[in-house]
Amino acid sequence: MDFYILARRFSIITLFAAIFAVTFSAVVVHDGGGGTQSHFGATYTCLERNGAFCAPTVR
């Protein structure tokens, strides 16, 4: 009997984790891409949106 309770709780937790992961990835994809990016204090400006890298800007 205890095994079924643990399995049900694990299923519910896994379901919530999957919903959170899908929602979070959708937000990241929607808000990301292009514009100015910051990485460890350096500012990068993406001149080409489809490019593989961004050029650092000088402050």
Side-chain angles (χ1 to χ4, degrees):
M1 192 70 166
D2 291 335
F3 177 73
Y4 293 113
I5 293 172
L6 288 175
R8 184 177 63 198
R9 288 179 182 172
F10 182 72
S11 300
I12 292 170
I13 291 170
T14 306
L15 179 64
F16 280 122
I19 292 171
F20 172 76
V22 169
T23 305
F24 185 73
S25 65
V27 168
V28 169
V29 168
H30 178 61
D31 289 341
T36 302
Q37 299 178 358
S38 178
H39 184 68
F40 296 111
T43 303
Y44 294 89
T45 302
C46 296
L47 301 176
E48 185 177 342
R49 203 175 265 266
N50 295 330
F53 61 90
C54 298
T57 58
V58 179
R59 288 187 178 198

